[in-house]
Amino acid sequence: GVSGSAKTIQNRYPEVEVEVEDAIVDDTGTSSDDSGLRAAHDISATSAKNGNKTRSLKTNWKILGVSYAEIKTTMSFNVKDWRIKKINSCYGTIVNYIPLRQTDKHNTSQIKSGNATCITNVTLARPAQKTVSGKHGFTANADGKMTKKWVG
């Protein structure tokens, strides 16, 4: 369950499954996913709207259909004049169902060229094994579309 190691783990252990899910919520409370589907109304009506939006990316690790770890990175940001002007919050949530594993995290965020980036930097410590680290997060544009992702 370390970000950045999904392909290696899946090649080594075919029974491991990694699911990635992302969603956006605008200030009206309407959500969508990257396929462009809207829960309540058309995307064109709200995609360029000024105001606050929240975007999240969730990765879930499973073995034989049973979840053993999950990480979710969430960013809330303010859009004005077709650009992200402010990051209101950037945080990560980690769920670990395996005993004796310790996770630690810290988040970083930045705005560059009207796009915002939120990254959860994760370290995983296990008994008698090397501590490993990875990144989980994304860059979003003013429409809320993810232009870059870091997932495990």
Side-chain angles (χ1 to χ4, degrees):
V2 176
S3 292
S5 66
K7 289 189 186 342
T8 303
I9 296 298
Q10 286 179 309
N11 289 338
R12 191 178 211 183
Y13 306 101
E15 64 275 10
V16 173
E17 179 182 338
V18 179
E19 295 178 343
V20 178
E21 169 187 320
D22 53 79
I24 183 170
V25 177
D26 63 23
D27 58 359
T28 65
T30 303
S31 67
S32 70
D33 59 22
D34 267 348
S35 68
L37 300 175
R38 276 264 168 211
H41 49 72
D42 182 63
I43 191 168
S44 62
T46 59
S47 63
K49 183 178 179 181
N50 290 338
N52 293 318
K53 294 183 182 185
T54 300
R55 186 75 161 131
S56 63
L57 178 68
K58 181 169 78 171
T59 304
N60 190 354
W61 288 267
K62 295 180 179 184
I63 296 178
L64 302 174
V66 177
S67 180
Y68 71 89
E70 178 181 289
I71 184 169
K72 182 176 182 180
T73 300
T74 303
M75 176 173 58
S76 171
F77 53 93
N78 182 270
V79 176
K80 183 168 171 119
D81 300 327
W82 305 85
R83 297 172 64 87
I84 296 176
K85 296 294 187 178
K86 179 182 175 191
I87 296 174
N88 300 322
S89 64
C90 168
Y91 61 93
T93 306
I94 299 173
V95 178
N96 172 41
Y97 297 109
I98 298 178
L100 303 177
R101 291 184 357 155
Q102 180 180 352
T103 58
D104 192 18
K105 65 176 174 61
H106 74 275
N107 285 83
T108 58
S109 62
Q110 72 172 7
I111 296 175
K112 186 175 181 180
S113 302
N115 297 322
T117 300
C118 175
I119 295 177
T120 302
N121 298 287
V122 181
T123 57
L124 173 65
R126 301 162 290 185
Q129 293 185 30
K130 183 178 157 183
T131 298
V132 292
S133 60
K135 290 201 276 186
H136 186 270
F138 57 91
T139 297
N141 63 20
D143 286 337
K145 181 174 174 51
M146 289 186 188
T147 58
K148 188 170 185 179
K149 296 179 188 179
W150 294 269
V151 297

